[in-house]
Amino acid sequence: ISRVKKTEKPSLTVLSQKLSLCSKLCFAIGGAPKEVAASATAFFLQIYLLDVAQINAFQASMVLFIGKVWGAVTDPIVGFLIMKSRWTKIGRLMPWMVGCTPFLVVSYFYLWFVPPFITGRFIWYLGFYCLYQTLITCFHVPYSALTMFLSTDQKERDSATAYRKKQLPFYRGFILVMRHGPYLTLTAAFLFITVAIQLVQSNFVLFCTYAADLKDHFHNIVLTILVSAVISIPLWQWFLERFGKKTAAFCGITWIMPFTLMLVFIPNVAVAYIVAVSSGLSVAASLLLPWSMLPDVVDDFRLANPYSKGHEAIFYSFYVFFTKFASGISLGVSTLCLEFAGYDTGACKQPAPVVYTLKLLIGAAPVAFIVTGLMILLLYPISEDVRLRNKVCLEELR
């Protein structure tokens, strides 16, 4: 047992201290590059592999599917390794983020580099996409888990002195987490919603290029989506604080459905920009809300299991695992659908079955996934009243 001198006091949290605006901005800026990279790969990687790198649709589907599944598999592994990591002067999470960043930059650069050879390009992009997924996991899992330790309203902190209680073995913690109903409901709901958003993002540029005759505008349309998403995040933050997170999820996610269907049936420039703005609102909601709701699930779990702590990495890593795995399957299947429809790599125009398939991938399929996800979300039990009650109960336990 380590001895502490009488004159030394362990660092404790000042409960009345509020998280400053500067701290919030610094935390948001830290995750911005990752989100920019994720948006770029979501919108452009598929068409880049098909029309720039010029690998066939089957190979592109394998790159996207295997890369996403590999990224999904690494999430729980990284979560486990984080839980087993030693505490350092900068905590247990920061070394992971700092250490992986230089290698992440290099892998991302070579993901968008066209090698001088042709026959080995499939292996090139598969290797660097898997490496990129691994490194982005090493950044994203600790970064997302860090949200549990940001608010000074919490008495527990990411600190060897102030936060340690006895920890259960990983497998026992995993079993407890997987039995927690609110976590399973939230994960299942956003699994379907994430697949829908992923389908729209990955096929949007292809749709604009080959199905809507908007190839001269898709750069500006995508930029409009991203700007709309960034601008609307404060709006959704205010909305969820005013009306609750579950209500915000329903309003934010349903917003995209009528507009994507409108673009399928009325594919012109004016409608495309209207769809871009509305899609940005839903993309922002789909990115913000699950990470805002997961801490509530963790708090609910703490109340149900007061003697089991330190499992934040399990919650976050397995949430990402399930959503990435589902996204990988949907991306692989959607690209295979283009292959079966007769996608001609590098062609200026695509045959009619490809155009029809793109319309399904942009319109009907995302709507079906979103409706399924929202039906599951109806069963999510943590309302605002429950969340506030949990907060009071946690304060009493501490």
Side-chain angles (χ1 to χ4, degrees):
I1 302 175
S2 59
R3 296 181 178 178
V4 181
K5 297 180 180 179
K6 293 182 179 179
T7 56
E8 295 179 351
K9 294 182 179 180
S11 56
L12 298 176
T13 303
V14 180
L15 298 182
S16 60
Q17 181 185 355
K18 297 297 181 181
L19 197 62
S20 67
L21 178 61
C22 179
S23 297
K24 293 179 182 178
L25 289 175
C26 288
F27 180 73
I29 291 171
K34 193 270 301 181
E35 295 300 334
V36 171
S39 296
T41 54
F43 279 107
F44 296 109
L45 184 59
Q46 186 181 42
I47 194 171
Y48 169 82
L49 293 174
L50 292 171
D51 291 354
V52 179
Q54 294 193 352
I55 63 177
N56 61 54
F58 176 77
Q59 291 177 332
S61 69
M62 289 297 99
V63 170
L64 296 172
F65 170 70
I66 296 174
K68 279 285 188 180
V69 170
W70 176 259
V73 170
T74 58
D75 280 294
I77 295 174
V78 170
F80 171 79
L81 294 176
I82 289 174
M83 289 186 63
K84 297 299 181 182
S85 299
R86 293 184 177 181
W87 295 90
T88 68
K89 293 182 179 180
I90 56 173
R92 192 168 60 174
L93 304 176
M94 284 297 294
W96 283 84
M97 292 183 280
V98 174
C100 74
T101 298
F103 303 100
L104 177 59
V105 171
V106 173
S107 66
Y108 184 75
F109 172 80
Y110 281 109
L111 182 61
W112 300 99
F113 178 79
V114 180
F117 47 84
I118 297 176
T119 55
R121 286 184 181 177
F122 168 70
I123 301 299
W124 173 280
Y125 289 111
L126 178 61
F128 277 107
Y129 192 44
C130 288
L131 179 60
Y132 165 76
Q133 289 289 346
T134 302
L135 294 170
I136 203 70
T137 297
C138 292
F139 180 92
H140 180 62
V141 170
Y143 178 81
S144 57
L146 194 62
T147 57
M148 287 303 302
F149 309 105
L150 281 178
S151 173
T152 51
D153 290 333
Q154 305 279 348
K155 291 184 179 179
E156 297 167 296
R157 279 296 174 268
D158 190 9
S159 137
T161 303
Y163 184 69
R164 241 180 254 237
K165 289 181 182 179
K166 183 179 179 180
Q167 290 190 1
L168 293 177
F170 178 85
Y171 73 93
R172 289 183 62 187
F174 170 77
I175 292 173
L176 285 175
V177 169
M178 290 302 122
R179 288 177 176 175
H180 194 60
Y183 178 69
L184 295 178
T185 303
L186 183 70
T187 301
F190 275 97
L191 183 149
F192 285 98
I193 292 168
T194 301
V195 167
I197 298 296
Q198 186 74 63
L199 281 175
V200 174
Q201 286 182 318
S202 60
N203 292 286
F204 188 78
V205 175
L206 286 171
F207 175 84
C208 289
T209 303
Y210 298 116
D213 197 22
L214 296 170
K215 62 182 178 180
D216 296 331
H217 301 274
F218 76 78
H219 292 94
N220 293 330
I221 294 172
V222 171
L223 181 61
T224 303
I225 293 174
L226 297 178
V227 171
S228 173
V230 171
I231 293 176
S232 62
I233 285 178
L235 168 65
W236 288 120
Q237 184 64 36
W238 169 84
F239 191 94
L240 66 87
E241 290 176 356
R242 179 67 176 82
F243 299 102
K245 298 176 183 180
K246 191 172 179 179
T247 303
F250 274 92
C251 294
I253 303 303
T254 55
W255 189 257
I256 195 174
M257 292 193 291
F259 292 99
T260 53
L261 290 175
M262 188 192 316
L263 182 61
V264 170
F265 292 105
I266 314 174
N268 61 52
V269 177
V271 172
Y273 279 100
I274 295 173
V275 171
V277 174
S278 63
S279 298
L281 292 172
S282 289
V283 169
S286 68
L287 291 175
L288 174 66
L289 288 166
W291 302 113
S292 177
M293 297 167 80
L294 269 173
D296 300 335
V297 173
V298 177
D299 286 343
D300 190 77
F301 175 83
R302 285 176 174 173
L303 279 177
N305 304 273
Y307 298 106
S308 178
K309 296 199 175 187
H311 301 307
E312 289 79 13
I314 297 179
F315 279 95
Y316 286 88
S317 61
F318 275 92
Y319 171 80
V320 178
F321 166 78
F322 291 125
T323 54
K324 274 189 179 180
F325 189 83
S327 296
I329 294 176
S330 67
L331 281 176
V333 171
S334 67
T335 312
L336 275 179
C337 290
L338 295 177
E339 170 77 4
F340 294 143
Y343 187 91
D344 188 3
T345 301
C348 296
K349 287 187 176 181
Q350 298 295 335
V354 172
V355 175
Y356 180 73
T357 302
L358 286 171
K359 290 181 178 180
L360 289 178
L361 293 174
I362 285 289
V367 168
F369 281 114
I370 288 174
V371 170
T372 303
L374 293 178
M375 293 296 290
I376 297 173
L377 194 61
L378 285 172
L379 304 176
Y380 180 67
I382 304 179
S383 62
E384 281 302 292
D385 292 337
V386 174
R387 187 182 69 83
L388 293 175
R389 184 196 66 194
N390 287 349
K391 181 179 178 181
V392 172
C393 292
L394 280 174
E395 289 175 353
E396 292 176 353
L397 283 177
R398 292 165 186 153

